[in-house]
Amino acid sequence: MTQQTIRKAVIPAAGFGTRFLPASKATPKEMLPLVDKPLIQYGVEEAVAAGCTDIIIVTGRGKTTMEDHFDRSPELEAALEARGKTHLLELVRSIATLANISYVRQPEALGLGHAVLMAKQLVGNEPFAVLLPDDIVHAQPGCLAQMVGAFAETQATILGTEVVEGEAISLYGCLDCTPHPANTRLLAVHNLVEKPSPEQAPSQNAIIGRYILTPRIFAMIEQLTPGAGGELQLTDAIRALLKHEKVFGFQYTGQRYDAGDKLGFLQATVDFALQHDEVGPAFRKWLQTQQF
Ligand code: G1P
């Protein structure tokens, strides 16, 4: 069998962002900035750093600023050029050349499985990545790059996972899994449950918003009936996939933030601000002078 590589990444970005109202009323939550870059740009950059050349953003009504963000901006570029702001000019231009970005609309918010299904035609018959832009992973190499490395070995579906504490498991897809005999970062998945109650959770291994999926997932999604929350759940489609193919969990190294949540967003902001070339040192100094 020829080795398959991951060239395409799907980024679902059609949700309402209710946890971020009122900020997300007229601005997509994916466009909220962590220091100076919108959340979704972190996802796109992580996919590109993992070797993806084609990014498919699943979008919806009221979200066109994402398309403007990744497009050329001739007026802004001309103004920056005229003022000799070369650094900013390069920065602005580089966003439009990050990758081949396509957009597909999800007409109704029917769930994550349904959002991924919207990308079926653009993905075609090859394995692909899914990144949920709310999950920001600070890692070097990036989380998806780590998973692509594991995919070279498994050539099978891989789910980013981490162990979460106590009742938090009921916020996630949860794995029933055992350690892989040969690779300490991989878990052999036997079953999956979306948002189990803490009593019913088969483990504390949560799925995070990073997936490498084989194209058979689309047929599994097409056969889904509504699951947790009345939505077409990607987790349920992966459980159906288990009847045909192996599925692995992958214990990434890095720090993840749920930036779709106010607290997680603030924590990510502090982390990224402290690392930031321009404001990092001054921000650290200021924090040290504060009495909390
Ligand atoms: C989604 C998935 C869930 C996964 C989570 C990771 O849930 O359905 O399986 O654990 O992302 O962030 P959501 O957070 O969209 O409710």
Side-chain angles (χ1 to χ4, degrees):
M1 200 178 83
T2 49
Q3 280 272 330
Q4 293 201 280
T5 54
I6 306 299
R7 301 185 305 143
K8 298 184 180 177
V10 176
I11 304 188
F16 290 128
T18 45
R19 288 186 292 168
F20 249 111
L21 284 170
S24 53
K25 188 177 171 219
T27 301
K29 69 167 173 185
E30 295 80 5
M31 288 302 291
L32 297 176
L34 271 188
V35 189
D36 53 6
K37 263 194 285 189
L39 281 181
I40 194 163
Q41 192 177 332
Y42 288 88
V44 170
E45 288 178 352
E46 185 180 324
V48 169
C52 297
T53 50
D54 292 62
I55 312 287
I56 300 149
I57 298 181
V58 182
T59 171
R61 286 182 294 285
K63 296 223 159 187
T64 49
T65 51
M66 294 192 293
E67 295 172 45
D68 293 338
H69 182 71
F70 292 108
D71 197 359
R72 291 291 297 267
S73 181
E75 298 80 9
L76 175 61
E77 289 172 28
L80 292 171
E81 195 159 18
R83 291 178 206 168
K85 302 206 181 245
T86 327
H87 173 66
L88 287 177
L89 179 63
E90 280 166 15
L91 185 75
V92 163
R93 279 196 179 142
S94 68
I95 300 170
T97 54
L98 274 172
N100 273 327
I101 306 190
S102 332
Y103 300 87
V104 60
R105 304 266 283 216
Q106 183 187 21
E108 276 181 279
L110 297 179
L112 181 58
H114 182 255
V116 170
L117 184 61
M118 298 297 103
K120 179 182 171 186
Q121 300 303 328
L122 290 169
V123 169
N125 190 28
E126 60 181 283
F128 63 103
V130 173
L131 297 95
L132 307 188
D134 279 3
D135 270 342
I136 292 288
V137 187
H138 199 171
Q140 199 51 256
C143 182
L144 188 64
Q146 296 175 34
M147 289 172 63
V148 165
F151 179 80
E153 199 181 307
T154 63
Q155 296 284 297
T157 289
I158 298 183
L159 318 174
T161 59
E162 77 178 41
V163 172
V164 298
E165 298 286 322
E167 301 200 342
I169 194 65
S170 54
L171 300 172
Y172 296 93
C174 173
L175 302 182
D176 180 358
C177 56
T178 48
H180 187 281
N183 185 331
T184 53
R185 298 176 81 184
L186 288 177
L187 300 164
V189 175
H190 310 299
N191 198 4
L192 311 85
V193 201
E194 178 69 7
K195 303 199 172 72
S197 66
E199 304 76 48
Q200 280 166 346
S203 77
Q204 295 295 119
N205 289 97
I207 305 172
I208 65 148
R210 297 292 181 277
Y211 308 76
I212 293 178
L213 300 168
T214 57
R216 187 181 265 151
I217 196 71
F218 294 120
M220 304 296 112
I221 301 172
E222 281 165 341
Q223 289 159 25
L224 280 181
T225 51
E231 296 188 340
L232 297 177
Q233 296 290 353
L234 184 59
T235 302
D236 294 343
I238 301 169
R239 186 172 52 249
L241 192 65
L242 265 176
K243 296 200 179 81
H244 305 272
E245 298 175 6
K246 287 189 172 157
V247 173
F248 296 94
F250 179 79
Q251 309 185 87
Y252 70 97
T253 40
Q255 174 68 48
R256 180 184 64 97
Y257 299 99
D258 178 3
D261 171 76
K262 291 183 193 85
L263 182 61
F265 186 89
L266 289 170
Q267 290 162 338
T269 300
V270 171
D271 182 353
F272 282 83
L274 286 170
Q275 310 282 330
H276 194 275
D277 286 346
E278 184 191 325
V279 298
F283 184 55
R284 183 178 301 274
K285 220 167 157 187
W286 177 79
L287 277 179
Q288 282 160 352
T289 65
Q290 298 303 300
Q291 317 252 318
F292 294 112

